[in-house]
Amino acid sequence: MASDLLSTPPPLAPPRLQGDVSAWLRLIRSHRVGVSTFFRLLDEHGSAEAALEALPGIASAAGVARYTPCSPEAAERELEQGAQLGAKLLLHGAPDYPQALMDLDDAPPLLWALGDISLANRVCIAVVGARNASSLGTRMAQGLANDLGNAGYAISSGLARGIDTAAHIAALPHGTIAVVAGGLDVVYPRENAKLHDDIAKQGLILSERPLGLQPQARDFPRRNRIISGLARGVVVVEAAAKSGSLITARNALDQGRDVMAVPGHPLDARAAGCNLLIRDGATLVRSPQDVLASLGQPQTHEAPKAALRLTSTSAHPHGAAHAQILGLLGPTPVAEDQLLRDLNIDAGALSPQLTLLELEGRIERQPGGLLTRLN
């Protein structure tokens, strides 16, 4: 990483698990110590304690004056917070650390884990996509996550709104892993507070970041490498030409994972990234069977069908209601009945909104009760 004190790559072999957890935590939380530096220091000095002792001298040689590593008190506070939360700290190289991440050059040295730790070593598929997901995209993510969960895969994603949320909800009865960009205890976005709680109880939440940290823009790309690294393959359901989901796909390629994408209408900007991936060689996905044919199938296990939920919008004012309706529509026609189910409102509440949107030239009604978005 650019902010590391050292720029050399990490050692090929996993570090020795020497010393206590607090020293590992202090080392990775020290200023300007990134992943590469952490592994190099551990390899060169043999333990985190020895690396911490050497760190001020290394920093001084690099031109950083009055350098102080992360204090024992700060590390102990974070460990106490984790214990109060019921979370566990997973150390790189330990048996409970996700084995899928062990072959990554930039694997997190430490991961906070909350929930079912056994999921960290389940065979996994990542399902990611747009935050402003369409109705068709949401249903595709739900179907993929549910059926792949029934086939024995855990589903990893990023707990963002839209496609990520749909995938987590559908996969929850089977096994889902949410990798968050901020602290394990920070709910983002706030609307996913209940889902965050449900995954903590039934699935697994992972984060390499300090507890209590509010996520910043720079934290999401680093989060994405963990989502893809956990998985045998990444399925992108909807993604703009420039989006975080494409970063996840590029990470997957760099990590030697399979990349798959659901095609979309050429005029829908939410499909542009997926169509580009397919053009460049990603496996085209029309159904869960396409994913299973590409990756094979792990040992199946019995699991209940997922309950699909969408947020009610009946209390929204005009502007918010129109925004949500338009967000679910695209150039590909959607049945009005399906839109009613997605919005969880009755026909009497939806019909006037559709009429207004039609008069404004925002949507078009087609034969058979189909709706399309015009702009």
Side-chain angles (χ1 to χ4, degrees), residues 125 140 143-151 153 235 260 283-297 305:
I125 295 175
M140 186 67 179
L144 286 170
N146 182 61
D147 289 357
L148 293 172
N150 272 328
Y153 285 103
V235 183
M260 295 159 275
T283 299
L284 187 150
V285 171
R286 302 160 298 173
S287 68
Q289 287 67 40
D290 288 334
V291 179
L292 295 174
S294 177
L295 296 180
Q297 191 165 337
K305 292 288 183 180

Side-chain angles (χ1 to χ4, degrees), residues 311-329:
T311 303
S312 171
T313 62
S314 57
H316 281 311
H318 257 7
H322 285 188
Q324 188 162 10
I325 292 168
L326 292 170
L328 292 170
L329 296 177

Side-chain angles (χ1 to χ4, degrees), residues 118-365:
S118 69
L119 286 173
N121 283 302
R122 277 268 301 276
V123 182
C124 184
I125 295 175
V127 177
V128 298
R131 287 175 170 81
N132 61 331
S134 69
S135 173
L136 290 172
T138 299
R139 282 185 283 143
M140 186 67 179
Q142 291 169 336
L144 286 170
N146 182 61
D147 289 357
L148 293 172
N150 272 328
Y153 285 103
I155 301 299
S156 65
S157 198
L159 201 56
R161 61 175 59 93
I163 296 299
D164 290 19
T165 293
H168 283 307
I169 291 172
L172 194 58
H174 317 298
T176 190
I177 303 173
V179 185
V180 296
L184 195 72
D185 53 339
V186 175
V187 178
Y188 183 87
R190 291 300 308 172
E191 66 201 57
N192 274 348
K194 184 180 185 306
L195 180 57
H196 185 280
D197 185 55
D198 289 343
I199 295 175
K201 293 175 181 175
Q202 297 177 250
L204 178 64
I205 305 176
L206 296 175
S207 174
E208 66 177 326
R209 305 298 283 147
L211 293 173
L213 180 77
Q214 292 290 335
Q216 305 296 319
R218 63 178 178 273
D219 295 315
F220 291 93
R222 63 190 295 171
R223 180 275 310 265
N224 292 346
R225 84 189 194 285
I226 302 175
I227 296 173
S228 57
L230 289 168
R232 285 183 58 186
V234 173
V235 183
V236 184
V237 178
E238 285 184 330
K242 295 181 179 180
S243 67
S245 298
L246 293 195
I247 294 175
T248 308
R250 286 194 292 271
N251 288 335
L253 288 172
D254 293 341
Q255 294 163 345
R257 275 54 171 169
D258 288 328
V259 175
M260 295 159 275
V262 177
H265 196 286
L267 297 181
D268 191 341
R270 288 171 293 203
C274 292
N275 293 339
L276 285 172
L277 288 173
I278 294 168
R279 183 200 66 183
D280 293 338
T283 299
L284 187 150
V285 171
R286 302 160 298 173
S287 68
Q289 287 67 40
D290 288 334
V291 179
L292 295 174
S294 177
L295 296 180
Q297 191 165 337
Q299 183 177 355
T300 58
H301 65 283
E302 293 297 321
K305 292 288 183 180
L308 306 183
R309 299 186 272 114
L310 288 172
T311 303
S312 171
T313 62
S314 57
H316 281 311
H318 257 7
H322 285 188
Q324 188 162 10
I325 292 168
L326 292 170
L328 292 170
L329 296 177
T332 303
V334 173
E336 186 171 339
D337 288 345
Q338 181 60 49
L339 190 61
L340 284 168
R341 289 192 291 272
D342 289 345
L343 293 169
N344 193 25
I345 59 177
D346 58 43
L350 178 62
S351 182
Q353 309 294 346
L354 294 179
T355 300
L356 287 172
L357 288 169
E358 189 176 15
L359 290 173
E360 293 170 1
R362 307 299 302 279
I363 66 170
E364 180 181 48
R365 294 180 186 267

Side-chain angles (χ1 to χ4, degrees), residues 32-43:
R32 294 193 179 185
V33 174
V35 170
S36 295
T37 299
F38 178 94
F39 285 120
R40 180 56 61 193
L41 289 170
L42 207 60
D43 186 55

